[in-house]
Amino acid sequence: MSLISANMSSNLNQKTLNDRTTIMTNALEQALKRLPAKPVPTGLFAGIQLAIQQEERWMRSLRRWVFLFSAGLSSLVLFVSVAGQSLVVELSQSAFFTYLQLIWSDTDVLYTHGQDIAFSLLESLPVVNLIIGLLGLFFVLGLLSLGLQFRSYRSQHSLSLS
Amino acid sequence: MSQQVTDNELIQRYLKGDEEALRLLYEQHIPGVFRFISRLAPSDIDPEDIVQEAFLKAWKHLARFDQSHSFKTWLFTIAKNTLFDAIKKKRPLTFSELNTGQEDQEPLEIDIADERPLPSELLEEKESQVRLEALLDQLSPPQKTVVTLHLFEDLTFREIGEVVGESMETVKTRYRRALAVLLRLLQKPPAS
């Protein structure tokens, strides 16, 4: 009997405690809701509008740069391919490959006339075409690397919703 | 629901070139987002900057916004992420800040003695709004986010779930635990 009353008393205490917790939680929620909020700064929308306008301007200029970049890159690629073809033609017309064949067929000539062979090889190179082609290639690689850097910058600053 | 339709209509109007629609849309939501961020932002971060950046991001992605979802929760999500990114950039996160939900796994115990006064009495007696604000600051960022969105911005637990990317049940538990933490803190004497 005393065990039952002890249980009942414990249940009642638990119920009272739960009721009290609910009341306290509700009171706390009400108190929190009454907390005053910071007033919204007056120029906030104007600031956002200004930021949007700046972003629009930046995007317009970006589009222009992207267009110029693409045009420049295409021209350079075209230039490099033309210069490459011309280089191949020049090389085939020069004695460069003949000297190479000579070295390949008779390696002893390198020991006997090494210096002369080296100079002849250098002289037979179409230097101007080579420089033009390499410069073009260098610019293409530079532009591509710029483009990749820009892409990674944009992806770092893009919207994160995760 | 009518708010939802209005937001979507305004977005449609803006996307068709009506600049005024963006002003209407933003002016509806700026106060709520600002209140949310100003409550959540630590003192070394300017809430105005965060709100401005969040609305700018929203503008940039407005055309891609899925209109089957709530614009309001989308906006709050962007604002919350912008703030958390700014906090991360400003200083390395502490362990408690990184703890995004571990406290939800601990058993919920509210140790309340019957003899103690009710919070309303406690509030009348010993704490001002400043104390309550200070107590709110002691919550972990995920808990504070949930409490702020539910109590101050009237977002439902489902909407908060969308904002924080958690299930409604997790959000509810986190909210209850946050209140339990606040009650526990409230019963402690304020540090002088």
Side-chain angles (χ1 to χ4, degrees):
Chain A
M1 193 65 183
S2 63
L3 189 66
I4 295 170
S5 81
N7 271 345
M8 277 177 65
S9 160
S10 154
N11 285 344
L12 265 174
N13 282 343
Q14 188 58 46
K15 190 176 180 303
T16 318
L17 190 64
N18 286 345
D19 289 347
R20 197 172 171 80
T21 307
T22 311
I23 294 168
M24 290 178 82
T25 308
N26 290 342
L28 177 65
E29 280 179 321
Q30 292 311 312
L32 285 170
K33 275 185 178 176
R34 282 197 298 274
L35 281 178
K38 250 188 184 179
V40 180
T42 43
L44 191 51
F45 179 70
I48 293 169
Q49 220 170 12
L50 193 70
I52 289 175
Q53 283 164 1
Q54 280 173 348
E55 187 71 16
E56 276 177 330
R57 269 200 296 274
W58 190 80
M59 278 164 78
R60 268 198 299 272
S61 94
L62 178 73
R63 271 195 286 271
R64 229 185 348 258
W65 277 108
V66 167
F67 173 76
L68 287 174
F69 173 84
S70 316
L73 191 65
S74 324
S75 318
L76 270 173
V77 167
L78 194 72
F79 173 78
V80 167
S81 68
V82 170
Q85 276 171 359
S86 154
L87 183 68
V88 170
V89 170
E90 287 276 331
L91 272 174
S92 61
Q93 283 171 357
S94 73
F96 183 75
F97 289 117
T98 318
Y99 286 124
L100 277 184
Q101 274 175 345
L102 177 70
I103 294 166
W104 182 254
S105 58
D106 182 11
T107 43
D108 289 343
V109 80
L110 267 180
Y111 299 108
T112 50
H113 301 92
Q115 204 177 7
D116 294 335
I117 290 283
F119 280 130
S120 304
L121 266 175
L122 279 176
E123 276 171 13
S124 64
L125 277 174
V127 182
V128 177
N129 274 2
L130 203 62
I131 288 173
I132 290 172
L134 285 176
L135 269 178
L137 195 66
F138 171 76
F139 276 113
V140 168
L141 291 176
L143 273 181
L144 281 175
S145 130
L146 262 178
L148 286 174
Q149 273 180 19
F150 179 75
R151 224 175 100 178
S152 82
Y153 170 84
R154 288 297 286 176
S155 65
Q156 272 170 16
H157 291 80
S158 65
L159 178 64
S160 104
L161 283 172
S162 56
Chain B
M1 192 64 194
S2 63
Q3 171 75 43
Q4 181 90 349
V5 171
T6 310
D7 283 347
N8 288 346
E9 278 175 1
L10 288 172
I11 293 168
Q12 285 302 325
R13 274 171 51 191
Y14 176 69
L15 292 177
K16 283 176 188 162
D18 180 0
E19 295 282 333
E20 181 66 8
L22 186 73
R23 190 184 63 78
L24 291 172
L25 182 70
Y26 273 19
E27 282 187 344
Q28 259 174 22
H29 293 287
I30 283 175
V33 175
F34 182 78
R35 276 196 305 269
F36 168 57
I37 293 298
S38 61
R39 285 202 190 278
L40 216 58
S43 55
D44 56 342
I45 287 181
D46 185 359
E48 209 175 324
D49 291 345
I50 301 296
V51 173
Q52 192 167 309
E53 198 184 327
F55 276 88
L56 185 66
K57 281 182 182 174
W59 168 78
K60 275 189 206 167
H61 297 82
L62 205 55
R64 276 188 269 159
F65 166 64
D66 178 0
Q67 292 188 17
S68 63
H69 290 93
S70 154
F71 179 70
K72 188 180 175 183
T73 55
W74 186 65
L75 213 50
F76 275 102
T77 309
I78 296 173
K80 183 208 76 170
N81 290 341
T82 307
L83 175 65
F84 284 7
D85 286 348
I87 294 172
K88 263 188 247 169
K89 269 183 206 163
K90 205 125 192 161
R91 59 196 149 89
L93 288 179
T94 61
F95 179 75
S96 64
E97 285 169 326
L98 281 170
N99 180 11
T100 53
Q102 267 187 345
E103 66 272 20
D104 300 336
Q105 310 304 318
E106 293 160 8
L108 175 60
E109 280 175 26
I110 309 174
D111 185 19
I112 301 157
D114 277 6
E115 293 73 23
R116 302 240 178 157
L118 290 170
S120 55
E121 296 160 356
L122 278 168
L123 290 173
E124 283 167 13
E125 281 171 18
K126 59 178 180 181
E127 56 82 12
S128 60
Q129 286 164 343
V130 177
R131 174 147 153 74
L132 212 46
E133 292 276 8
L135 292 182
L136 269 177
D137 284 340
Q138 291 186 41
L139 293 177
S140 67
Q143 285 179 332
K144 203 175 172 190
T145 305
V146 171
V147 170
T148 306
L149 287 174
H150 187 62
L151 286 181
F152 304 120
E153 300 311 323
D154 292 327
L155 259 69
T156 63
F157 289 120
R158 187 179 298 279
E159 287 173 325
I160 298 171
E162 281 178 35
V163 172
V164 298
E166 309 258 19
S167 74
M168 194 175 78
E169 286 310 312
T170 307
V171 170
K172 268 188 191 172
T173 311
R174 189 169 293 161
Y175 176 75
R176 282 203 306 272
R177 279 175 207 283
L179 288 188
V181 169
L182 285 176
L183 279 174
R184 210 178 297 144
L185 291 171
L186 203 56
Q187 288 176 346
K188 281 185 190 167
S192 55

